[in-house]
Amino acid sequence: MSVIDRLTDEFARLPGIGSKTALRLVHHLMKGSTEDTRRLSRALVDVAEKIRPCAVCGNFSEHERCEICTNPRRDGTTLCVVEEAYEVGAIERTGQYRGLFHVLGGRLSPLDGVGPDELNVAGLLRRIAGSEGEIQEVIVATNASVEGEATSVYLEQEIRPLGPRVTRLARGIPVGSDLEYVDGTTIAQALAGRREM
Amino acid sequence: MSVIDRLTDEFARLPGIGSKTALRLVHHLMKGSTEDTRRLSRALVDVAEKIRPCAVCGNFSEHERCEICTNPRRDGTTLCVVEEAYEVGAIERTGQYRGLFHVLGGRLSPLDGVGPDELNVAGLLRRIAGSEGEIQEVIVATNASVEGEATSVYLEQEIRPLGPRVTRLARGIPVGSDLEYVDGTTIAQALAGRREM
């Protein structure tokens, strides 16, 4: 297999990149300077070598403990539980959250053989129990899918006996959307969760 | 800058990949095995180190002369001239062409400062003259754009005095399309080029 075909195949393994796009990328790189291609290659090796899960929260990290866990200005009384590490960024970008995170590494999905043991649940419960009351609130920010909801219900049952409040993200109308195009279940939840103006 | 941000930036430089897609690719790689990431990195280095233009035709090649130029079963009497090396693949995939290629490396575009000296035109003319009559037909397969057409007219004037027939790809209705949606210029050219059934 030629080096061109091999690189095309590697690109085509990436999500959202088909064989035509992969070929276009390869041609773009071959037309450009070899230094650009080498830089991309080095950036990949760096990520492969340096990124690992944070020993505390499971977020991607260049160090044993991630930047959020080691930041003394973060609020250690609140823990936000997300399914995947890339969801940490979605919450961080709001600039509205100053607490810590915990990454489950997925959601409960019995049909796919994913139970609590396949997720970072034991670590979460140990972390809460080990904080000896410092963690006062756990925000369960699993996705608003059926499996995400099931996971949040399970976590709530496990966490509440340990002491902290257990909350979840509000369900409601997404900002900027027309009521006409919002599905009925969302409107029903927005009605149930209505607030004083 | 973190290694994650650097890889995201490198991906986002590629054509058709915005910053969100780049981030998704990085997360995909971080979630997967580091071996996958290393393999992509190695494939990139291989391309950067091994791919160069074929000394004869200008196509991408792992060797001094490309696989097409060194293949004794190719028909050396016919030369197909394309603008870019990646267009060689488009013609090869038809399986209908057994001749050789010549890559110009672009098209004439005076407004962008691209004249014959910026393209591989002198090499083409030397190659035809040096073949001492072996090259009997030159198919000018530049794109059907204004600049591609201008390039083909220029090449025709330069090549014809050297002896070979100069042809170009037929213009006409693309296979599978409805007449209703084909532009008028294409239909006009298809009419002018109509053939006995």
Side-chain angles (χ1 to χ4, degrees):
Chain A
M1 190 183 243
S2 81
V3 298
I4 297 177
D5 292 345
R6 222 170 57 237
L7 180 56
T8 309
D9 279 8
E10 290 297 334
F11 272 133
R13 287 163 174 271
L14 298 175
I17 298 193
S19 58
K20 282 215 166 176
T21 307
L23 198 58
R24 195 160 48 87
L25 295 178
V26 174
H27 282 135
H28 170 83
L29 290 170
M30 290 194 297
K31 253 211 117 175
S33 85
T34 65
E35 188 41 47
D36 286 352
T37 309
R38 284 173 205 276
R39 228 180 25 245
L40 174 55
S41 170
R42 277 197 303 270
L44 283 159
V45 165
D46 281 350
V47 162
E49 284 178 354
K50 296 185 184 158
I51 298 296
R52 57 188 128 170
C54 167
V56 177
C57 73
N59 189 11
F60 298 127
S61 174
E62 287 184 49
H63 309 283
E64 205 204 333
R65 292 165 173 239
C66 75
E67 285 178 6
I68 296 173
C69 285
T70 54
N71 183 343
R73 301 179 56 195
R74 303 292 299 213
D75 171 12
T77 66
T78 316
L79 202 58
C80 178
V81 179
V82 293
E83 294 180 13
E84 302 288 355
Y86 51 77
E87 290 159 350
V88 169
I91 293 176
E92 281 293 278
R93 279 191 291 278
T94 67
Q96 301 295 309
Y97 181 67
R98 301 296 305 161
L100 301 176
F101 287 95
H102 195 88
V103 177
L104 289 176
R107 70 209 80 175
L108 293 180
S109 178
L111 291 178
D112 301 320
V114 181
D117 294 346
E118 278 67 47
L119 303 178
N120 191 7
V121 170
L124 170 64
L125 300 178
R126 258 200 319 274
R127 190 174 169 194
I128 295 168
S131 84
E132 296 175 341
E134 192 195 346
I135 297 174
Q136 290 163 21
E137 177 178 358
V138 178
I139 305 170
V140 180
T142 51
N143 287 311
S145 62
V146 173
E147 290 167 339
E149 295 282 2
T151 307
S152 71
V153 170
Y154 170 80
L155 289 179
E156 194 268 339
Q157 290 169 352
E158 297 289 314
I159 297 167
R160 199 174 296 278
L162 300 175
R165 286 173 64 206
V166 186
T167 58
R168 64 170 202 173
L169 299 183
R171 302 289 182 249
I173 314 297
V175 176
S177 50
D178 284 346
L179 265 192
E180 187 181 354
Y181 301 116
V182 175
D183 67 285
T185 318
T186 299
I187 295 181
Q189 298 221 15
L191 269 175
R194 68 190 180 280
R195 293 171 60 169
E196 230 37 86
M197 291 177 64
Chain B
M1 190 183 242
S2 82
V3 298
I4 298 178
D5 292 344
R6 222 169 56 235
L7 181 56
T8 309
D9 279 7
E10 290 296 335
F11 272 133
R13 289 163 173 269
L14 298 175
I17 298 191
S19 57
K20 283 215 165 178
T21 306
L23 198 58
R24 196 159 47 87
L25 294 177
V26 175
H27 282 134
H28 170 84
L29 290 169
M30 291 194 297
K31 253 211 115 173
S33 85
T34 64
E35 189 40 49
D36 287 352
T37 309
R38 284 174 203 274
R39 229 181 22 245
L40 174 54
S41 170
R42 277 196 304 270
L44 283 159
V45 165
D46 281 351
V47 161
E49 284 179 353
K50 295 185 186 161
I51 298 296
R52 57 188 128 172
C54 167
V56 178
C57 74
N59 189 12
F60 298 127
S61 174
E62 288 183 49
H63 309 283
E64 205 204 331
R65 292 164 174 241
C66 75
E67 285 178 5
I68 296 173
C69 285
T70 54
N71 182 343
R73 298 179 57 194
R74 303 291 299 213
D75 171 12
T77 66
T78 316
L79 202 58
C80 178
V81 180
V82 293
E83 293 179 16
E84 302 288 354
Y86 51 76
E87 290 159 349
V88 169
I91 293 176
E92 282 294 278
R93 279 191 292 279
T94 66
Q96 301 295 308
Y97 181 69
R98 301 296 303 160
L100 302 176
F101 286 94
H102 197 88
V103 177
L104 289 176
R107 69 209 79 174
L108 293 180
S109 178
L111 289 179
D112 301 320
V114 180
D117 294 346
E118 276 68 47
L119 303 177
N120 190 7
V121 170
L124 170 64
L125 300 179
R126 259 200 317 275
R127 191 174 168 193
I128 295 168
S131 85
E132 296 176 341
E134 193 195 347
I135 297 173
Q136 291 162 21
E137 177 177 358
V138 177
I139 304 170
V140 180
T142 51
N143 287 312
S145 62
V146 173
E147 289 166 340
E149 295 282 2
T151 308
S152 72
V153 170
Y154 170 80
L155 289 179
E156 195 267 338
Q157 290 169 353
E158 297 289 313
I159 296 167
R160 199 174 296 277
L162 300 176
R165 284 172 65 203
V166 185
T167 58
R168 65 170 201 171
L169 299 183
R171 303 288 183 249
I173 315 296
V175 176
S177 50
D178 284 346
L179 265 192
E180 187 182 353
Y181 301 116
V182 175
D183 66 285
T185 318
T186 299
I187 296 181
Q189 297 220 13
L191 270 175
R194 68 190 181 278
R195 293 170 59 168
E196 231 32 89
M197 291 176 65

